[in-house]
Amino acid sequence: DTGVSQDPRHKITKRGQNVTFRCDPISEHNRLYWYRQTLGQGPEFLTYFQNEAQLEKSRLLSDRFSAERPKGSFSTLEIQRTEQGDSAMYLCASSLRQGYGANVLTFGAGSRLTVL
Amino acid sequence: KQEVTQIPAALSVPEGENLVLNCSFTDSAIYNLQWFRQDPGKGLTSLLLIQSSQREQTSGRLNASLDKSSGRSTLYIAASQPGDSATYLCAVRVLNSGGYQKVTFGTGTKLQVIP
């Protein structure tokens, strides 16, 4: 297992198109997170899965955004009708509960979206 | 709502200098705090994690401390090297109102170590 994998690494699209990002977490990790990061800012929480259940969604996740984790393994983040403001780095992280207080986030390299 | 602040936003030091990065948070009822490093255009690499019951963690030239009561954490880097140049982010994990864990990041400190 080489860690958290994200695909594609960079996507350039025209405004109004749909895009989908994929995240493959560390295999034994049951928790998966999506974050969005713009230049000069820290990552902002988008959504969180425990196994296949989507337990929390940020208000940042508008109706154009949808995330799934159908089998509790990989996850997809789809953005419909992209807007220029969606341009950002989309980061995926996973973690495993290792006992009370222990929950280390491991991040992927990110998928950079550029909307023209 | 948890707010996480990192000061300074940018820091430039000569090689070999010891330095301290600061992280402050508004809700002291945290679960843990994690320090990350991010290189330009890349994802985040975990450096240290401090549990809420701990006061510090060490890894090589890095030492992170936690003072929950004052809502502060520091990351100490000893004998800085040009390879330490990166953005350093702190992230605080709390239990939200729904009983789920939520992680909030600071905006980071961009460090440049000059050879």
Side-chain angles (χ1 to χ4, degrees):
Chain A
D1 191 359
T2 56
V4 180
S5 299
Q6 292 190 245
D7 183 71
R9 293 293 309 278
H10 195 182
K11 178 72 175 178
I12 301 173
T13 190
K14 293 182 179 179
R15 188 176 54 187
Q17 298 295 306
N18 300 341
V19 296
T20 299
F21 300 115
R22 176 180 170 126
C23 172
D24 287 89
I26 293 173
S27 57
E28 62 267 27
H29 284 186
N30 58 355
R31 290 177 174 170
L32 187 147
Y33 305 78
W34 284 100
Y35 285 84
R36 180 173 71 184
Q37 186 179 29
T38 53
L39 195 64
Q41 300 297 313
E44 296 174 294
F45 171 78
L46 292 179
T47 190
Y48 151 60
F49 291 86
Q50 182 157 303
N51 300 314
E52 66 276 7
Q54 188 174 19
L55 297 185
E56 189 170 2
K57 292 171 59 174
S58 164
R59 294 174 190 172
L60 294 174
L61 219 64
S62 73
D63 291 344
R64 297 184 297 106
F65 288 71
S66 62
E68 294 182 343
R69 195 183 182 197
K71 297 181 180 179
S73 55
F74 74 91
S75 175
T76 57
L77 177 68
E78 181 182 16
I79 308 174
Q80 297 182 326
R81 306 181 303 280
T82 52
E83 302 173 355
Q84 288 185 325
D86 297 332
S87 296
M89 175 78 89
Y90 290 85
L91 295 163
C92 176
S94 67
S95 69
L96 177 65
R97 186 178 175 88
Q98 298 172 330
Y100 180 74
N103 211 318
V104 179
L105 286 176
T106 302
F107 277 84
S111 292
R112 179 169 296 282
L113 173 65
T114 302
V115 182
L116 302 176
Chain B
K1 178 186 173 185
Q2 177 75 271
E3 294 184 2
V4 182
T5 305
Q6 291 186 248
I7 296 173
L11 182 63
S12 184
V13 300
E15 181 177 1
E17 190 164 300
N18 302 326
L19 59 101
V20 175
L21 305 180
N22 297 294
C23 172
S24 61
F25 45 94
T26 54
D27 182 353
S28 61
I30 67 170
Y31 203 63
N32 63 35
L33 184 146
Q34 196 168 355
W35 280 94
F36 292 88
R37 165 191 176 131
Q38 186 174 32
D39 293 291
K42 301 293 179 62
L44 281 68
T45 300
S46 179
L47 298 174
L48 289 165
L49 180 140
I50 309 177
Q51 305 293 354
S52 60
S53 58
Q54 297 174 324
R55 294 192 66 85
E56 66 176 334
Q57 282 286 321
T58 298
S59 176
R61 294 183 294 109
L62 305 179
N63 176 278
S65 68
L66 175 64
D67 184 344
K68 278 178 53 180
S69 61
S70 66
R72 293 184 179 184
S73 176
T74 61
L75 179 66
Y76 175 83
I77 302 177
S80 58
Q81 303 171 357
D84 295 331
S85 298
T87 296
Y88 290 80
L89 294 146
C90 70
V92 176
R93 182 184 297 270
V94 298
L95 283 179
N96 68 11
S97 58
Y100 305 122
Q101 296 182 357
K102 182 172 182 176
V103 177
T104 303
F105 282 83
T107 53
T109 294
K110 186 174 183 178
L111 173 65
Q112 181 182 23
V113 181
I114 303 169

